Amino acid sequence: MAVTSKPSTSTSLRHETMLIDGAWTDGKAREAITVLNPGNRKPIASVPRGTAEDIDTAVKAATAAFPAWMRVPPRDRGRILTRIADVIEARVEELAKIIAEETGNAIKTQARPEAKGTAEIFRYFGGLASELKGETIPFGEHVLSYTRREPIGVVGAIIPWNAPVLLGSLKIAPALCAGNTLVLKAAEDAPLGILWVARICQEFLPKGVLNVITGYGPEAGAALSAHPGVRKLSFTGSTEVGKLVMKAASERIVPVSLELGGKSPSIVYPDANEDWVVDGIIAAMRFTRQSQSCTAGSRLFLHADIFDDFLNKLAAKASKLKIGNPLDEETDMGAIINEKQFRKVCGYVEDGLKQPGATLRFGGLPPKDGPLSEGFFAIPTLFAHDANDWRLAKEEIFGPVLVAIKWTDEQEAIRMANQTHYGLAGYVWTKDIGRALRTAHAIEAGWVQINQGLGQSPGHSYGGVKQSGIGREFSLEGMLDSFTIKKNVTINLATP
Ligand code: NAI
Ligand code: MG
C-alpha cells in the first residue's frame, strides 16, 4: 500500500531511490511515497514520487543508450541476462522477503515462487538471444530478399503490484534481449522488489539501458505513455488504464502490448466431482494470492448433478487455508494489497449478501477484530447464484470472492462462459478428452487449461483476447512480436 509523505516525515524510514541513467537518485521528486506492509499496515520504506520531468530525463537517457546497446551482439546481451539470473538465483530468499513484505503475498505459496520465477525469466530470455533471426524470401535467383529482427527503440513499460517483480522482469528481460532500452514505471504499492532487481541488473548493464521510475499512475505513468521519445508501450494492469495507455499510443501510432483484467471461467463436468478437482479449483482461483490475479478462475460453472456435493467439498478445503502474516512459513494466504482494494473486495461481498437469489456458501466479510483485522485480510468466499449476469459474476473483483453458477447443457455452459467482455484464461475439468478439447476450443480466451490450474511458465505465449488485452509476452514469439520490428531488405542481384 502506498501513501504520499513529505520527505521529512520519512527520515527514519529506509529510503530507496530511482534508477535514471545509471545513477540512483530522487530525481526531481519533492515528495516521497511510503510503502506499507499490507499484513500489518506498517511502513517498510519510502520511494520518490517521480514526476513527468523524471520520466523525461529517463527517456532521454534510454534514447542516448540505445544506439550502442542495439549494437551489442545479441549473444552478449543474452549472456548479461544469464548472469543477472545467476545473481538473483543466489539471493532468491532476500527477494522473496521483499516481495512478501510489500505485496502481502504469502512467502511460502507466492513470494518465494515469484522470486524463483524471476531468475527463470532472465535465464530463459538470456538463452533466446540468438533466436532473433530473420528469414529469406524466395523471389527468384535475380533477387535476395531477407528480413531482420531489429529492436524498436525506447520501450515504456508500466507494471502492477500483484506480481510486480515477475511482471516487471517479463518486460525487462525480453525488451533488453531484443536490443531495446527501457523506462519502467513501477507500481506505487509495490516498487521495492523490482528496484532490488534493477540494482542487480545495473551491475551488468551500461548506463541508461534500464531506467526505473517510481511514482503514481496519473503522474509518472501517464507521462511515460505520452512521451514522444517512447517507441513502444507495454502495460500490465487494469482494463481501464489499459485503454488510456492505448489512447496515448494512438496519438503517435506507437505499438502497444496490453495485459489486462479477466473474469475467467472454470467449467466442471459431472465426472469431475473429485478431490483433485477441488484442489485445482482452489489453485485456479488463486486463493493463495488472495485471488489478485488476472488469470483467476473466478466464475465456477458447476454441473447441476454435482453442484451441492462439490461446493461442500470446496468449502471444507477452502476453510483449511491458513490466513495471516505473509512472512510466516505456515501461512497459505496473505493480505490484500491496500485499503482501497480491500474496501472494494468487501463492497462486493456486501453486495453479494444483499443480492436476491444469491446464497453465501462459505466465507463472507472479513473478521472485524482479532489478528486478521490488523492487516487487509479477506477470507475465501463463495456465492452461488443461478444467474450469470449479476454484478459479482460480471466484474473483476480481484479478491477471494468466487461465484458458482449451475448448468445442465454443455452449450449453455459455454455460452455463459463466453458471456463476458474479458478473455484471458479458462479452465475445463473432465476426464472425457473429446469433451475437454471441444470445450477448450470453444472458450474465448488466450489460454485454456484442462484439469489443472497452474500459473504461466516461460515459453508459453501468454495474453488475452477481447478486453483482456492485445499481444503476447512470456515466450520467444512474444519477444519477437512485442519487442522487435521486422524489417525487409531486398537486393537486386542482376545489377553489376
Ligand atoms: P491500475 O491499472 O490503476 O495500475 C497498474 C499500473 O498502472 C500502476 O503502475 C499504476 O501506477 C499505473 N497507472 C495508473 N493510472 C495510470 C495512468 N493514467 N496512466 C499510466 N499508468 C497508470 O490498477 P489498480 O488501480 O492498482 O487496480 C485496480 C484494478 O485493476 C484491480 O482491482 C484489478 O481488477 C485490476 N488489475 C489487474 C491487473 C492484472 O494483472 N491484469 C493488475 C492490477 C490490477
Ligand atoms: Mg488504478
Side-chain angles (χ1 to χ4, degrees):
M1 176 179 174
V3 290
T4 306
S5 55
K6 297 281 173 211
S8 55
T9 61
S10 58
T11 42
S12 58
L13 201 61
R14 183 175 115 227
H15 184 70
E16 298 283 348
T17 46
M18 305 187 281
L19 175 60
I20 305 177
D21 203 14
W24 294 92
T25 171
D26 274 337
K28 294 279 189 280
R30 267 187 247 113
E31 280 185 313
I33 297 173
T34 300
V35 182
L36 304 184
N37 174 344
N40 58 20
R41 311 181 195 209
K42 292 197 175 119
I44 314 165
S46 64
V47 295
R49 177 176 174 173
T51 64
E53 253 184 290
D54 297 317
I55 291 287
D56 185 54
T57 316
V59 172
K60 285 183 176 138
T63 306
F66 178 60
W69 181 246
M70 74 171 281
R71 285 187 180 82
V72 172
R75 286 176 69 139
D76 292 347
R77 293 198 300 259
R79 202 167 296 128
I80 290 177
L81 296 178
T82 313
R83 285 162 75 195
I84 292 169
D86 290 340
V87 180
I88 296 174
E89 201 164 79
R91 294 171 61 185
V92 88
E93 269 315 289
E94 225 178 289
L95 179 57
K97 285 208 180 80
I98 297 171
I99 297 172
E101 215 179 5
E102 70 174 341
T103 62
N105 288 339
I107 191 156
K108 178 180 75 174
T109 57
Q110 297 304 321
R112 188 173 292 119
E114 182 177 346
K116 287 182 178 165
T118 297
E120 278 309 300
I121 293 291
F122 278 94
R123 191 171 309 291
Y124 171 76
F125 284 105
L128 289 185
S130 49
E131 295 299 321
L132 291 153
K133 293 183 285 206
E135 56 212 2
T136 54
I137 297 112
F139 284 147
E141 288 305 310
H142 64 290
V143 75
L144 170 62
S145 185
Y146 66 94
T147 61
R148 284 162 53 82
R149 285 286 181 180
E150 295 183 354
I152 306 175
V154 177
V155 173
I158 301 172
I159 55 167
W161 42 263
N162 56 334
V165 178
L166 192 78
L167 296 173
S169 302
L170 269 172
K171 316 274 187 217
I172 298 172
L176 299 194
C177 180
N180 305 281
T181 56
L182 188 75
V183 178
L184 181 130
K185 210 291 280 173
E188 54 270 42
D189 289 292
L192 304 173
I194 199 69
L195 285 173
W196 185 94
V197 168
R199 227 169 243 285
I200 290 172
C201 293
Q202 195 49 46
E203 298 290 310
F204 298 95
L205 292 171
K207 69 175 189 162
V209 168
L210 171 66
N211 305 271
V212 181
I213 302 291
T214 54
Y216 290 116
E219 296 173 3
L224 183 57
S225 317
H227 199 290
V230 171
R231 302 284 294 274
K232 154 87 198 188
L233 285 163
S234 174
F235 172 79
T236 303
S238 64
T239 296
E240 185 196 355
V241 175
K243 289 179 185 177
L244 297 177
V245 170
M246 195 165 172
K247 224 172 254 166
S250 77
E251 289 296 323
R252 334 192 283 287
I253 318 291
V254 160
V256 285
S257 304
L258 304 172
E259 204 269 87
L260 310 174
K263 189 76 182 175
S264 300
S266 252
I267 302 181
V268 184
Y269 281 86
D271 68 342
N273 185 20
E274 294 182 11
D275 277 346
W276 65 270
V277 182
V278 174
D279 291 333
I281 293 296
I282 288 174
M285 179 52 184
R286 318 281 189 243
F287 270 135
T288 60
R289 205 158 118 204
Q290 303 77 262
S291 307
Q292 298 174 127
S293 162
C294 41
T295 52
S298 53
R299 291 183 298 146
L300 175 59
F301 293 98
L302 269 177
H303 192 273
D305 291 353
I306 61 169
F307 195 82
D308 287 310
D309 195 45
F310 193 94
L311 285 188
N312 290 339
K313 287 206 275 263
L314 184 58
K317 281 203 188 245
S319 68
K320 291 210 181 80
L321 292 173
K322 206 160 173 273
I323 309 168
N325 180 1
L327 286 158
D328 187 334
E329 290 292 343
E330 299 289 303
T331 298
D332 297 309
M333 183 172 163
I336 299 281
I337 186 74
N338 61 29
E339 182 153 13
K340 186 176 154 222
Q341 290 295 115
F342 179 72
R343 286 186 193 282
K344 186 174 150 191
V345 172
C346 293
Y348 278 108
V349 176
E350 278 158 7
D351 210 30
L353 292 170
K354 280 186 285 196
Q355 179 72 24
T359 47
L360 177 71
R361 291 302 186 102
F362 58 82
L365 285 166
K368 288 217 159 43
D369 37 39
L372 290 189
S373 65
E374 283 160 28
F376 303 116
F377 293 100
I379 58 176
T381 296
L382 185 138
F383 287 100
H385 198 319
D386 289 337
N388 184 44
D389 58 356
W390 65 302
R391 188 169 161 245
L392 270 70
K394 280 191 348 207
E395 296 176 11
E396 182 178 50
I397 299 175
F398 234 55
V401 183
L402 182 57
V403 292
I405 300 127
K406 207 181 275 181
W407 64 275
T408 44
D409 173 64
E410 184 179 298
Q411 287 313 311
E412 175 65 0
I414 291 167
R415 191 192 62 79
M416 289 193 292
N418 288 337
Q419 199 177 43
T420 168
H421 64 282
Y422 289 119
L424 196 53
Y427 307 85
V428 183
W429 309 85
T430 176
K431 287 179 215 157
D432 180 330
I433 186 70
R435 201 152 66 173
L437 294 179
R438 213 161 55 224
T439 307
H441 295 176
I443 292 178
E444 295 165 1
W447 181 28
V448 181
Q449 295 183 72
I450 296 169
N451 295 336
Q452 63 167 31
L454 303 182
Q456 307 87 315
S457 319
H460 126 226
S461 273
Y462 168 71
V465 301
K466 294 155 102 177
Q467 291 191 29
S468 286
I470 291 180
R472 296 291 178 265
E473 290 181 347
F474 238 113
S475 61
L476 169 61
E477 177 201 41
M479 172 174 79
L480 298 177
D481 284 357
S482 291
F483 296 108
T484 71
I485 296 161
K486 201 178 207 181
K487 180 193 275 179
N488 183 274
V489 181
T490 307
I491 308 121
N492 176 1
L493 300 181
T495 315

